Amino acid sequence: MAAPFMEKLAEYLDSPEPAVRLILSILIGYPFALAYRWFLFHQSSTVLHLFHTITGLALATFNFAGSQVYHSLLCVVIQFLLLRLMGRTVTCVLTSFIFQMIYLLTGYYYTATDEYDIKWTMPHCVLTLKLIGLALDYYDGGKDQSKLSAEQKKSALGSTPSLLEVFGFSYFYGGFLVGPQFTLRNYQMLVSREMTDVPGQPPNSVVPALKRFCLGLITLSIFTIGGPRYSDSYYLTDEFAAHPFWYKCVYILLWVKINLYKYISCWLITEGVCVLAGLGYNGKNEKGEHQWDACANVRVWLFETTPLFTGTINSFNINTNAWVARHVFKRLRFLGNKLVSQMFTLLFLAIWHGLHSGYLICFSLEFLIVNVEKQAQSLVRDSPLLTSISQSPLYPLVYVVQQSIHWLFMGYSLVPFCLFTFDKWLKVYFSIYFCGHIFFIAALLVLPYLRKVFVPRKRGSEKKED
């Protein structure tokens, strides 16, 4: 009964059936969160773990056929056994990392196609980070507290979780399919009724949840209307190839802006689910106001207004970026070089996303662009002339130029991310003359000379030269 109905609904909406199932699954999180608030809030932790496990498995079964559900079950059970058998050891952390990543990459190898497909590997990549993070937080819980950072102290686990607890954490309906990432410690606080602004009572989070839900629907509407007009497949047509260079640049700029709403809409809607359940509670700010952004995966205002690449990165997929910063970048401190740590972190992100060459190209471009932007910001900051221009009435014009460059090359770097394979993204890059690579490599070479021109020399250095 369900399959024919979903086929007809997908046909009516003129959307792929897996995409319709995914959106419905995300929306179903709201009734689940209301059921938790109304009927289960004061129940025991065992009941709540069972509720989260059963609802999460139900969503998995609704989206993925039979045997595909077993992949997540197997990885959760094995991760629990690793914690129990190996304890708080480096061996446990390394084994967890290697097993979970190899399992995910094997899944990519056997299921990946040249198109964007919604398969069991989509939620499994979210689960992979959760389970690796679980092993690291469990390991941190056995360290001397004085050796932990403030961030690590918040997520470190003082005791060994039960199997049912790990299941509830892994399958929580507000984060199983598309994220966000959250720690087991936060999940434990949710189950123990600590994630609320009213101690012992359901949180006053209905209005904040509705705001995120409505914002999610707005961004979903923008993508639904604009997505077909600015599709990935158009890049590969003869019509696109025949357009002049300026048209292709404008298309890339508009395409990336609209298509990123596909991710943003899902994250905003799931964030609303987490806020409604209480998992989004983040204490009080400096003004004493309650915050509900613990599960925020996008900062919409920053995303829309920033003229900087780093601003977009900081506003997009926030919890995943925070996870990678905490568990990869900062733990590579022993390398003694931030650039090398950044390079390995981006390499991890590329491999975690999939085996296609497009991911490696995208994140290598991010490495290049971010470092060029940092040098450019340093130049403007150190130059009195450039600083005065940035603070003058001319800045609105500068801002428009910045935004245009920003979104053009943001789209440029995401072309391989969305087209996946070598033959596709290379075809597009040839048609626009590798303009992004040329621009940023040239900027990397020119910026040191611009610094000599615009940044005044210090007196001490002049005397030394004399």
Side-chain angles (χ1 to χ4, degrees):
M1 289 292 290
F5 171 76
M6 290 305 303
E7 289 175 6
K8 291 180 181 178
L9 180 61
E11 185 179 351
Y12 175 77
L13 296 173
D14 194 25
S15 297
E17 185 180 335
V20 174
R21 286 179 179 269
L22 176 63
I23 291 297
L24 287 176
S25 300
I26 293 171
L27 293 172
I28 289 169
Y30 286 89
F32 287 160
L34 288 173
Y36 160 70
R37 291 170 62 94
W38 292 342
F39 307 114
L40 300 173
F41 187 82
H42 296 288
Q43 295 296 319
S44 66
S45 59
T46 300
V47 172
L48 295 179
H49 295 324
L50 283 170
F51 174 68
H52 295 147
T53 302
I54 292 169
T55 51
L57 282 171
L59 294 178
T61 305
F62 178 66
N63 282 273
F64 311 108
S67 61
Q68 295 185 54
V69 178
Y70 301 148
H71 294 291
S72 59
L73 282 169
L74 176 63
C75 287
V76 171
V77 170
I78 289 180
Q79 187 58 58
F80 172 75
L81 292 174
L82 289 175
L83 298 182
R84 285 288 188 176
L85 297 176
M86 294 185 176
R88 304 177 190 274
T89 61
V90 175
T91 304
C92 177
V93 171
L94 292 176
T95 305
S96 300
F97 183 90
I98 293 169
F99 170 77
Q100 299 295 353
M101 284 299 295
I102 287 178
Y103 198 101
L104 175 65
L105 296 179
T106 303
Y108 285 149
Y109 180 80
Y110 284 105
T111 65
T113 66
D114 293 348
E115 304 292 334
Y116 183 82
D117 300 314
I118 297 176
K119 297 180 178 177
W120 67 267
T121 50
M122 184 196 71
H124 201 87
C125 71
V126 177
L127 180 64
T128 297
L129 294 191
K130 272 189 181 179
L131 297 178
I132 293 173
L134 172 61
L136 286 161
D137 291 337
Y138 185 62
Y139 172 71
D140 288 341
K143 288 182 178 179
D144 186 342
Q145 290 290 302
S146 62
K147 295 181 180 179
L148 299 179
S149 66
E151 200 174 28
Q152 289 174 325
K153 288 177 182 178
K154 288 181 180 179
S155 57
L157 296 170
S159 59
T160 306
S162 67
L163 178 59
L164 188 57
E165 192 173 22
V166 175
F167 269 125
F169 163 68
S170 301
Y171 286 107
F172 176 71
Y173 50 85
F176 171 66
L177 290 171
V178 296
Q181 291 293 328
F182 53 89
T183 65
L184 178 58
R185 185 72 196 95
N186 277 5
Y187 174 76
Q188 290 173 334
M189 292 171 67
L190 173 70
V191 172
S192 60
R193 295 178 286 279
E194 296 176 52
M195 300 290 273
T196 176
D197 57 333
V198 186
Q201 298 296 325
N204 293 312
S205 58
V206 175
V207 173
L210 280 175
K211 288 180 179 179
R212 306 313 277 179
F213 172 73
C214 292
L215 200 52
L217 289 185
I218 292 171
T219 53
L220 180 61
S221 299
I222 295 172
F223 171 71
T224 302
I225 296 169
R229 298 182 183 183
Y230 296 92
S231 65
D232 304 346
S233 59
Y234 185 67
Y235 282 120
L236 306 175
T237 63
D238 293 335
E239 186 180 347
F240 178 81
H243 281 300
F245 176 74
W246 69 265
Y247 181 93
K248 294 173 184 176
C249 290
V250 172
Y251 183 89
I252 290 173
L253 188 152
L254 295 173
W255 165 81
V256 68
K257 188 72 173 177
I258 290 171
N259 278 269
L260 285 180
Y261 286 128
K262 172 174 62 178
Y263 304 100
I264 290 173
S265 59
C266 290
W267 291 335
L268 286 170
I269 295 171
T270 53
E271 183 192 344
V273 173
C274 294
V275 170
L276 188 60
L279 191 63
Y281 185 63
N282 200 20
K284 295 181 180 181
N285 60 20
E286 296 175 354
K287 298 178 181 178
E289 301 168 335
H290 294 287
Q291 301 179 101
W292 302 97
D293 58 354
C295 291
N297 231 3
V298 58
R299 296 187 181 97
V300 178
W301 180 253
L302 179 61
F303 176 83
E304 296 293 346
T305 60
T306 181
L308 302 174
F309 294 95
T310 48
T312 301
I313 292 167
N314 292 334
S315 69
F316 191 82
N317 207 0
I318 296 168
N319 281 287
T320 300
N321 290 338
W323 188 99
V324 172
R326 184 169 71 251
H327 290 311
V328 181
F329 180 76
K330 291 181 181 178
R331 292 179 191 267
L332 291 174
R333 191 176 292 135
F334 67 90
L335 295 174
N337 188 305
K338 281 190 175 182
L339 280 179
V340 175
S341 297
Q342 183 189 10
M343 182 177 66
F344 277 111
T345 300
L346 292 173
L347 177 62
F348 169 79
L349 274 173
I351 294 171
W352 172 71
H353 274 92
L355 299 175
H356 290 301
S357 61
Y359 296 126
L360 287 171
I361 297 299
C362 173
F363 286 101
S364 64
L365 279 170
E366 180 182 327
F367 179 81
L368 173 64
I369 291 170
V370 166
N371 283 288
V372 168
E373 184 176 81
K374 286 181 179 178
Q375 290 188 36
Q377 284 181 292
S378 175
L379 171 62
V380 173
R381 187 173 55 249
D382 296 341
S383 167
L385 174 61
L386 296 178
T387 300
S388 65
I389 292 174
S390 68
Q391 297 172 352
S392 73
L394 290 174
Y395 181 69
L397 178 61
V398 175
Y399 177 80
V400 171
V401 174
Q402 269 188 294
Q403 280 285 26
S404 301
I405 294 173
H406 164 219
W407 283 112
L408 169 61
F409 292 118
M410 184 63 69
Y412 181 90
S413 61
L414 284 172
V415 164
F417 185 95
C418 294
L419 296 183
F420 301 128
T421 58
F422 179 84
D423 56 319
K424 292 181 179 179
W425 58 259
L426 193 60
K427 179 180 179 180
V428 179
Y429 277 175
F430 268 117
S431 75
I432 53 176
Y433 315 113
F434 289 87
C435 62
H437 288 80
I438 293 171
F439 181 87
F440 285 102
I441 291 173
L444 203 62
L445 297 173
V446 170
L447 279 169
Y449 294 98
L450 292 178
R451 172 168 282 277
K452 291 180 180 179
V453 173
F454 288 104
V455 179
R457 295 183 180 182
K458 294 180 181 179
R459 292 181 179 178
S461 62
E462 290 177 355
K463 289 179 180 179
K464 193 173 182 180
E465 288 179 8
D466 292 340

